[in-house]
């Protein structure tokens, strides 16, 4: 457990109270009376006092002063503001306004996954609109350059701005975790997407794309690890602060002797590092689990049906819902890999299963084979696959919920493991209560068969569920190792001190006896409660809270990147450098707003 004092304890500063470094960084001072941070620019008093609130006020109201980047400039600015001498903020010139508009349009082009040349079309649309609506203002767009070359440069500048902001925030991370997703295929190349989730002393969580690594150029695990360590070093993140790793469960990631995880955990072993927690079931849960459940290559057959429907059945009304779902997922143009990934989703399989009669009639009409509709074993396997994937879909949707922390996600995992035990018993007893599709197939087949035993291959399906149980046990065993830490984090007032390690019992007893903290716990969410917990009084509990909060609690950011790739796979398959691809993925997944004034005036933040 993390609470045991075998490894060095995380140092946490007091998260409440004014800090002197904020004066130059955010242009605030400590007020003469009372608590808070007094803004030198507008006189606004920021309360409650924590870095998150001070930074948000500064970024929202006074981003202009980011142009004062040098230490000497910054100190002189603070002195002028103390004397009440506010520098005059000049209005944007027409050229700067045009540059701002061009940057915004370049970002929009990147977000929507459009080609670089689309900027010219956007320009023509604006020109036509202004001629009819505001003819006197047509000239304002004359200074907006939307050529492909300029659009590319602007996207790279936005990426550098976002990257710089991330690195500045990473300096304040008390703990962080990495998510490694190796399922990004662009054209014929495979990429590893590396995401970071960091937590500062105010328990503010930040999830962002750290880097992408071309696996074609970094084929060996050693080269891949070197690329990740270089990205961490560039961001100023030491291995001493790394808490967790979440990955896909491919051999490249979790291979026993040659997987990336074993190499990284070995690298992080030192007296000053924490035990790195690894779990591999969060990312692409449905996609990767489907290979264990699809015992009769059902999805390959279904894929052939969908290709036929897309080419010869697009006008059939019974398939419109299916085709609409397909286009919303990956657009009109689709490659084989995207189609395969879409078909491995529980929602998709359930929809196709409900259309199986219509699909059979369609196949007959176009002269395609319908042999699978007379194969009772294949039909049962299809129904079983639909049911199990639907259960996995429910779990996957729960794990996509953001800002719930790993403790809640672990509860969902434990509940699903109990559900697998129930499904195993039910299939052994031929109780199909929780197998709606299989029950429907079995009822149809029993009309033509005398004995029920001839319909269900119980041993076959028991083996699949057992395999899933073992996989879940393997993927999440590290989370079970820190189960008490997760329970303490989620329910500190209900956790019995006698079950806690000796090092935390005094703090826990004192916490549970504090009525004020109990009221805060009831009225605030967990993040707010732990952000306000005094570090000097509860250093161990606060340390556990930072570590648990830094663990990835959902696959949301990875799903966002994967969805962006799937919807725009045709555009992304055009010739793009890794640098441009990195910029597009960052813009598509970030929650950070670019510093537009810094970009327009050419005074971007320097890289750390």
């Amino acid at each position: 457990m993390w609470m045991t004092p075998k490894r060095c304890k995380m140092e946490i500063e007091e998260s409440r109270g004014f800090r002197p470094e904020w004066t130059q960084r955010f242009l605030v001072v400590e007020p003469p009376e009372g608590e808070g941070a007094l803004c030198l620019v507008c006189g606004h008093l920021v309360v409650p006092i924590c870095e998150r609130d001070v930074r948000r006020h500064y970024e929202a109201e006074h981003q202009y002063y980011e142009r004062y980047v040098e230490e000497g400039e910054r100190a002189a600015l603070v002195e002028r503001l103390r004397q009440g001498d506010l520098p005059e903020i000049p209005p944007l010139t027409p050229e700067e306004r045009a540059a701002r508009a061009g940057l915004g349009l370049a970002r929009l082009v990147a977000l929507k996954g459009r080609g670089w040349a689309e900027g010219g079309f956007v320009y023509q649309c604006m020109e036509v609109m202004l001629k009819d609506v505001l003819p006197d203002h047509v000239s304002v767009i004359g200074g907006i350059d939307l050529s492909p070359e300029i659009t590319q440069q602007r996207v790279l500048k936005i990426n550098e701005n976002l990257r710089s902001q991330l690195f500045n925030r990473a300096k304040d991370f008390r703990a962080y975790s990495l998510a490694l997703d190796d399922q990004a295929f662009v054209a014929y190349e495979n990429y590893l997407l590396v995401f970071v989730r960091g937590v500062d002393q105010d328990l503010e969580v930040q999830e962002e794309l750290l880097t992408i690594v071309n696996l074609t150029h970094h084929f060996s695990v050693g080269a891949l690890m070197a690329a990740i360590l270089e990205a961490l070093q560039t961001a100023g993140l030491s291995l001493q602060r790394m808490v967790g790793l979440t990955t896909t469960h491919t051999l490249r990631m979790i291979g026993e002797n040659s997987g990336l995880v074993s190499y990284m955990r070995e690298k992080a072993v030192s007296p000053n590092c924490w035990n790195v927690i690894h779990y591999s079931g969060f990312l692409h849960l449905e996609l990767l689990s489907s290979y264990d459940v699809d015992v009769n290559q059902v999805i390959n057959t279904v894929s052939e049906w969908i290709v036929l429907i897309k080419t010869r059945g697009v006008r059939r009304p019974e398939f419109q819902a299916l085709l609409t779902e397909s286009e919303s997922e990956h657009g009109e143009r689709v490659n084989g890999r995207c189609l395969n990934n879409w078909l491995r989703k529980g929602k998709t399989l359930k929809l196709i299963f409900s259309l199986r009669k219509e699909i059979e009639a369609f196949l007959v009409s176009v002269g395609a084979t319908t042999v699978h509709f007379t194969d009772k074993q294949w039909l049962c396997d299809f129904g079983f696959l639909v049911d199990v994937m639907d259960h996995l879909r429910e779990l996957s949707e729960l794990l996509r919920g953001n800002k719930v922390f790993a403790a809640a996600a672990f509860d969902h995992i434990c509940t699903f493991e109990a559900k697998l035990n129930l499904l195993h018993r039910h299939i052994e007893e031929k109780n199909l209560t929780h197998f709606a599709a299989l029950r429907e197939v079995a009822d149809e087949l029993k009309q033509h068969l005398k004995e029920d035993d001839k319909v269900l291959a119980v041993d076959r399906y028991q083996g699949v569920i057992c395999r899933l149980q073992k996989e879940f046990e393997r993927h999440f065993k590290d989370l079970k190792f820190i189960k008490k830490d997760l329970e303490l984090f989620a329910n500190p007032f209900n956790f019995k001190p006698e079950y806690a390690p000796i090092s935390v019992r005094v703090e826990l007893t004192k916490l549970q006896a504090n009525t004020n903290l109990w009221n805060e716990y009831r009225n605030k969410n967990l993040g707010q409660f732990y952000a306000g917990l005094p570090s000097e009084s509860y250093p161990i509990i606060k340390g556990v809270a930072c570590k648990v909060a830094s663990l990835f609690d959902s696959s949301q950011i990875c799903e966002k990147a994967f969805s962006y790739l799937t919807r725009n796979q045709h555009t992304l398959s055009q010739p793009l450098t890794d640098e441009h691809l990195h910029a597009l993925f960052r813009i598509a997944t970030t929650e950070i707003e670019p510093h537009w004034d810094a970009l327009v005036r050419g005074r971007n933040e320097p890289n750390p």
Side-chain angles (χ1 to χ4, degrees), residues 197-320:
R197 175 185 171 103
V199 178
D200 63 17
Q201 61 190 15
D202 296 320
L203 266 290
E204 184 177 7
V205 176
Q206 189 83 45
E207 283 188 14
E208 293 290 335
L209 176 69
L210 180 63
T211 188
I212 68 170
V213 182
N214 191 324
L215 295 175
T216 307
H217 303 154
H218 300 80
F219 184 77
S220 69
V221 174
L224 185 56
M225 184 173 170
I228 295 174
L229 292 178
E230 181 182 356
L232 289 174
Q233 183 178 12
T234 304
L237 295 170
S238 68
L239 290 175
Q240 282 73 22
R241 287 183 281 164
M242 186 167 70
V243 171
L245 277 172
T246 182
T247 67
T248 57
H249 45 276
T250 58
L251 286 177
R252 181 192 283 116
M253 293 290 110
I254 63 171
E256 186 173 350
N257 297 319
S258 58
L260 178 62
V261 172
S262 60
Y263 276 77
M264 289 204 68
R265 296 180 91 165
E266 182 180 346
K267 187 74 175 177
V269 171
S270 76
N272 295 322
C273 294
W274 300 316
N275 291 311
V276 176
I277 302 301
H278 170 249
Y279 44 103
S280 56
F282 269 25
L283 309 185
H284 306 296
L285 177 65
E286 292 178 86
L287 171 63
L288 297 177
S289 296
S290 66
Y291 291 96
D292 293 323
V293 182
D294 189 4
V295 292
N296 203 355
Q297 302 299 310
V298 171
I299 291 177
N300 288 344
T301 301
V302 173
S303 178
E304 295 173 1
W305 296 349
I306 299 302
V307 171
L308 274 174
I309 291 172
K310 280 180 170 288
T311 53
R312 303 178 66 178
V314 290
R315 296 185 181 276
R316 299 206 172 210
E318 62 268 30
F319 298 140
Q320 293 310 303

Side-chain angles (χ1 to χ4, degrees), residues 21-38:
E21 61 267 24
W22 290 351
T23 298
Q24 281 204 21
R25 189 170 176 186
F26 302 122
L27 306 181
V28 293
V29 293
E30 191 171 7
E33 297 180 358
E35 296 182 350
L38 184 64

Side-chain angles (χ1 to χ4, degrees), residues 425-440:
R425 288 199 306 273
H426 279 193
I427 203 71
E428 184 179 12
E429 299 165 358
K430 298 181 182 178
N431 180 350
L432 302 183
T433 302
H434 298 291
F435 296 90
L438 182 57
R439 183 175 67 247
E440 190 175 336

